[in-house]
Amino acid sequence: MLAFETAASLPAGTRILADLGAEVARVMEPPFPVSPYMRPFDGTLMNKQPIALDLKHPDGPALAKRLAAAADVVCNNFRPPVMRRFGLDHETLRASNPRLIVLQLSGYGTPGPWQDYPAYGPSVEAAGGMNGSMGDESQLPQRVGGGVFADTVGGRYAALAICAALLHRDRTGDGQYIDAAMYEAIVTGIGDLVAEASATDAPPKRYGNRHERFAPQGVYPALGNDQWIAISVTSDEQWCALRQTIADARLDDPAYEDETGRRAAHDAIDAVIATWTSTRDKQEAAEALQAAGVPAGPVQWPGDVPFDPQHRARGFLQTVRHEIPPLLGYRTHPYMTMAARAIGYPRAPLSDHQPEGSRTEAVLRRWLDATDEELAAWRASGVTPPERPIIADGTPPPAWFGERTAPRDEHFAERLGLEPASDVGEAR
Amino acid sequence: MLTAIEIGHGAAGGFAGMMLAALGGEVTRVVTPADVEHEASEGGRGRYRSAYFHRAKQRLELDLDAPGDLERLREQLTSVDVLIDTLPPSGLAETGLAVADLHERHPGLVIVSITPFGQDGPRAHWQATDLIVQAMGGLLASSGEDESPPSRLAGEQAAHVAGTMGALQALAALRGVREGVSTGVHIDVSEQEVLSTGWSREIGRYTHTGEGLARAARRTGVQGYPHTEMASDGYVFLFSQGKSWEGVAAILGLYEFLTDEWLDPAARVERWDEIEPHFRATVASRSRYDWFAAAAEQGFTFAPVEDARSILDSPQLAAREFFEEIEVDGKVVRVPSLPFTFATLDHPRRED
């Protein structure tokens, strides 16, 4: 795969394909340097072969075409006009390699009246109906946290589409042009609400954290600052179990024995539950409720994820040792592996981040049988820029998407068991 | 393209099977008496969900407690490519469909089990709804606004993302089988894990810097102005990643707030009361699509804030023939198709 990728969407999708064994040669977006938020913190750059190819160099597009001719898949998530400007549109690429699968992932999809509109995950979450469907009827539209939800959803669909196109090619010999849109990915994810809206010609009722059928359901305060626990009662049996666990006489009203009665008194029940949860640790409260058979779970912050007992037992995060350079002063960091595994086999391994351009010559040799002379000429002309170090200094990634950062965990490194680098001075 | 059987009534399986069917797969959904009971209990919204998920699938009613029906399913599983399973962990074996037996009969069978927390681990058998998985997988904590509890993502997003991953894994594994490089496998997809990858950036920020995250400030955002405001015909999302207040104010025509005293976000937050009437009035003076287009022209990522009804009127989706029509209770209803097109095939959105 030849992946011209930036931001978070396509990198998330090609990371899955790389985990599945694809050789992904990743090309940075022109012009150099790459966007500063493509930093090696989220793991989406791992398991890939970063190559440096300057598409703005007079020889850049021709070299890209040679690589495309040797690839199974060429994909990009640059703005739609970019690849065409370099003569690397799907018609051109597929003319010389009809078996080639070409994928364009963009915010709103192309063609279409919004095809050239810029987009980021949070904007397509709003446009795709997610924000306006969140919250309850008394609330303004809400926002999805994390900043990359639509990106990762869109990237995953891109990977799905590529797999489908490969199977189609295996059967027919035909390549493919795939146009994928993050915007549509968000709408597909709320298809049941769209169906209801289409049938009733009105927006579906917004339940917020409550549920159409389960009562009570909600997110309740737990012990600590901004700590919460989620609870869903999906049956009368679970209600009995909840009532016994909380052991508050105010829940013993016979009217609460069925869902209708509980729904009618949802606010009063919530207040009692919150009284119980607010003095308890979210993990311990969830464990107590689950032990009684009640669906409950701690609302986890990013700092909880590496310590989640389920993730730990399943080896979901793996520690990667950075060879050169240490990252933000540490030789090791945990990263998420692929969120699926074949039972009986180890999880897909994680390779360390590779400096930009560090695999250029290896890929050119392997894919194009490039000679030493050719490699030297490309280097000299600047079409294959030199390797660039990973941005590994002390600047933390910024809060890009309008979220605020919470107080820093001063002991995160000890808690995570990170190995300090003795040569931090060489971090860049 | 492929044949698949779907067992269990988990929404993630509904999504995964829907995707395989939309890609041209022949997908058969096993419907047991327990599933019928579950469907009946789902109520109004469940009816639409069921119609959306299962619109292109065949239905096979079986009572798996009856030996004849169980054997019939076993037999069917010798001739399909993929089994999608959303039974609880170990549910296949408890149903009489032990993975080893299935693979003995059909070595190439790809089995994809999708559960809230995976097939093993101390919390594998925890009870879950989509809300619980959203809480434990992430995203929930930082979704919403600072003045309220975390806000659940709409729809069933844990099931959605895990269903996509399940379909993807099924296709990848099937390709391995067809190429002869692998035999059938049993793939374990945890909704919690897939959802966690949806905020990889923030988990990475913590593991590299110790920094945490908080929900967006309702009133003034992080940049000193609200991100969601009412336009003349509905809400518009006014945040543009990496862009300055100067740019936003210029698009909105708030030139009086472009002087030095307003450039510091902290100053705007402190004196928001002075800006707010002007801000609200100007945003309310044009439609959300007008702002969307005006911002796009300047490279800003504003967006109309849609809901599940207004999205049906999107000119972009209309131009892309995104919606399919299905029948629910005798009424024609529009539903989304897959979010990508295959341009070289007859049907713009489906593999043949």
Side-chain angles (χ1 to χ4, degrees):
Chain A
M1 289 183 59
L2 183 60
F4 297 88
E5 59 185 27
T6 185
S9 59
L10 189 60
T14 55
R15 162 69 200 277
I16 297 171
L17 297 173
D19 291 346
L20 285 165
E23 180 178 347
V24 180
R26 190 176 67 77
V27 187
M28 294 183 288
E29 181 180 23
F32 302 117
V34 70
S35 311
Y37 59 90
M38 277 200 77
R39 294 184 181 193
F41 296 102
D42 63 7
T44 54
L45 308 183
M46 303 179 100
N47 285 0
K48 302 177 190 176
Q49 309 290 314
I51 65 173
L53 172 57
D54 185 355
L55 292 178
K56 290 195 162 179
H57 188 282
D59 299 332
L63 188 52
K65 281 180 192 165
R66 285 186 63 187
L67 284 166
D72 293 304
V73 179
V74 175
C75 50
N76 85 89
N77 70 327
F78 298 167
R79 283 182 302 106
V82 172
M83 294 299 271
R84 186 170 297 279
R85 201 163 61 228
F86 291 120
L88 298 170
D89 51 277
H90 71 93
E91 295 96 334
T92 303
L93 295 177
R94 295 190 63 249
S96 57
N97 181 4
R99 286 175 55 82
L100 185 66
I101 293 162
V102 179
L103 177 137
Q104 163 87 51
L105 173 61
S106 60
Y108 295 104
T110 178
W114 299 349
Q115 65 179 24
D116 295 329
Y117 284 15
Y120 284 99
S123 53
V124 299
E125 287 154 11
M130 176 58 73
N131 295 16
S133 303
M134 291 170 65
D136 63 33
E137 297 288 338
S138 70
Q139 291 178 301
L140 292 176
Q142 303 284 293
R143 284 190 54 184
V144 180
V148 293
F149 176 69
D151 292 85
T152 55
V153 170
R156 202 177 293 111
Y157 271 116
L160 170 69
I162 287 169
C163 287
L166 284 166
L167 278 170
H168 177 77
R169 188 183 76 170
D170 292 344
R171 205 173 68 247
T172 65
D174 295 336
Q176 193 67 258
Y177 171 59
I178 304 162
D179 181 77
M182 291 199 295
Y183 172 51
E184 294 179 349
I186 292 299
V187 186
T188 298
I190 56 167
D192 54 339
L193 301 179
V194 174
E196 182 179 341
S198 175
T200 62
D201 199 26
K205 182 177 177 184
R206 294 193 294 153
Y207 290 95
N209 290 332
R210 292 184 178 177
H211 194 272
E212 181 194 20
R213 287 179 296 117
F214 310 149
Q217 173 174 290
V219 175
Y220 303 91
L223 191 64
N225 178 38
D226 211 4
Q227 301 297 328
W228 306 86
I229 176 173
I231 299 172
S232 298
V233 171
T234 69
S235 67
D236 296 341
E237 292 73 26
Q238 289 175 2
W239 167 251
C240 285
L242 176 87
R243 199 159 49 83
Q244 286 166 7
T245 305
I246 291 180
D248 187 313
R250 289 174 291 174
L251 298 181
D252 294 340
D253 189 329
Y256 299 168
E257 283 176 12
D258 64 25
E259 184 264 333
T260 307
R262 294 194 294 274
R263 181 170 304 285
H266 212 308
D267 288 344
I269 291 173
D270 279 353
V272 178
I273 295 174
T275 302
W276 185 81
T277 57
S278 60
T279 58
R280 285 168 170 78
D281 174 80
K282 63 184 180 183
Q283 301 282 352
E284 291 170 10
E287 282 166 10
L289 289 166
Q290 285 281 354
V294 180
V299 177
Q300 312 228 68
W301 287 103
D304 295 319
V305 171
F307 307 101
D308 180 290
Q310 184 70 2
H311 289 333
R312 291 209 150 192
R314 289 168 55 80
F316 177 48
L317 284 89
Q318 290 181 3
T319 296
V320 171
R321 184 175 176 78
H322 308 302
E323 296 304 328
I324 300 174
L327 207 49
L328 294 177
Y330 294 96
R331 281 273 176 213
T332 58
H333 285 101
Y335 296 91
M336 287 183 282
T337 57
M338 184 172 66
R341 60 175 188 160
I343 292 176
Y345 297 85
R347 285 195 182 257
L350 293 176
S351 72
D352 192 11
H353 303 94
Q354 307 295 328
E356 296 293 352
S358 62
R359 294 291 180 270
T360 307
E361 295 195 358
V363 168
L364 292 173
R365 280 185 201 280
R366 200 161 52 247
W367 289 28
L368 305 182
D369 290 326
T371 63
D372 289 344
E373 291 72 27
E374 285 177 304
L375 293 172
W378 287 330
R379 261 197 319 270
S381 73
V383 68
T384 56
E387 177 179 321
R388 291 174 57 241
I390 289 173
I391 300 171
D393 61 16
T395 309
W400 285 99
F401 293 100
E403 294 138 344
R404 297 169 305 134
T405 51
R408 184 168 177 266
D409 175 359
E410 299 293 339
H411 305 291
F412 81 100
E414 300 90 272
R415 293 180 71 211
L416 290 166
L418 305 186
E419 182 186 331
S422 55
D423 49 354
V424 176
E426 299 168 13
R428 286 191 73 101
Chain B
M1 183 209 189
L2 62 81
T3 51
I5 285 180
E6 182 187 319
I7 186 169
H9 50 245
F15 269 114
M18 179 189 83
M19 291 169 201
L20 297 182
L23 287 164
E26 285 178 31
V27 180
T28 301
R29 185 170 67 104
V30 172
V31 181
T32 66
D35 296 327
V36 171
E37 197 178 315
H38 178 79
E39 277 182 6
S41 73
E42 282 218 303
R45 191 159 288 176
R47 199 168 66 249
Y48 297 112
R49 179 168 49 243
S50 189
Y52 174 53
F53 283 166
H54 306 316
R55 64 189 187 273
K57 299 172 189 171
Q58 296 171 46
R59 181 182 171 104
L60 176 63
E61 294 203 13
L62 294 175
D63 179 357
L64 297 180
D65 290 330
D69 279 8
L70 182 60
E71 188 51 36
R72 188 176 159 204
L73 178 56
R74 285 197 189 113
E75 187 56 35
Q76 292 225 356
L77 286 168
T78 63
S79 59
V80 299
D81 298 305
V82 174
L83 170 62
I84 299 165
D85 150 48
T86 56
L87 298 171
S90 312
L92 282 176
E94 287 163 14
T95 306
L97 299 167
V99 168
D101 292 344
L102 296 177
H103 277 147
E104 191 173 328
R105 287 175 172 225
H106 180 7
L109 181 65
V110 172
I111 303 171
V112 179
S113 293
I114 312 174
T115 49
F117 305 109
Q119 294 291 307
D120 59 13
R123 294 178 171 177
H125 289 276
W126 271 29
Q127 301 283 317
T129 61
D130 210 79
L131 173 72
I132 304 302
V133 185
Q134 286 192 29
M136 296 176 66
L139 289 173
L140 182 65
S142 59
S143 295
E145 55 200 17
D146 61 349
E147 295 178 8
S148 305
S151 186
R152 182 178 68 85
L153 275 64
E156 295 187 77
Q157 295 308 315
H160 173 217
V161 298
T164 315
M165 182 58 110
L168 189 174
Q169 295 289 332
L171 295 185
L174 180 59
R175 186 157 191 259
V177 170
R178 287 185 175 169
E179 286 195 330
V181 298
S182 65
T183 58
V185 289
H186 183 196
I187 297 165
D188 174 13
V189 178
S190 151
E191 294 178 15
Q192 183 193 17
E193 290 179 4
V194 184
L195 209 49
S196 290
T197 62
W199 66 344
S200 52
R201 191 172 50 97
E202 296 308 331
I203 293 170
R205 188 210 300 267
Y206 173 79
T207 57
H208 289 76
T209 69
E211 273 191 6
L213 183 67
R215 286 183 295 291
R218 175 177 183 173
R219 189 154 178 260
T220 54
V222 73
Q223 290 199 323
Y225 69 95
H227 300 153
T228 302
E229 188 56 78
M230 181 63 85
S232 64
D233 62 345
Y235 288 101
V236 60
F237 185 67
L238 296 158
F239 184 69
S240 199
Q241 182 268 326
K243 303 288 188 183
S244 66
W245 164 253
E246 292 99 304
V248 172
I251 291 170
L252 297 177
L254 294 171
Y255 302 111
E256 64 269 45
F257 298 104
L258 278 171
T259 52
D260 287 350
E261 64 183 310
W262 299 106
L263 299 188
D264 177 11
R268 290 197 299 278
V269 171
E270 194 175 321
R271 297 173 60 190
W272 184 249
D273 287 346
E274 294 175 54
I275 309 176
E276 187 169 23
H278 303 274
F279 184 84
R280 297 189 82 163
T282 193
V283 174
S285 69
R286 296 175 70 179
S287 75
R288 62 197 200 286
Y289 281 10
D290 278 353
W291 287 124
F292 183 32
E297 216 166 88
Q298 304 297 320
F300 281 58
T301 57
F302 289 8
V305 178
E306 305 288 22
D307 59 39
R309 170 63 193 85
S310 63
I311 200 80
L312 288 160
D313 300 328
S314 159
Q316 176 76 1
L317 297 178
R320 293 171 60 75
E321 300 178 38
F322 178 63
F323 293 109
E324 295 177 25
E325 291 186 345
I326 62 171
E327 197 177 296
V328 183
D329 299 339
K331 194 168 187 176
V332 174
V333 167
R334 286 187 289 163
V335 294
S337 57
L338 290 184
F340 47 79
T341 61
F342 287 110
T344 64
L345 297 173
D346 288 342
H347 191 295
R349 287 191 176 269
R350 279 190 206 165
E351 196 182 1
D352 54 9

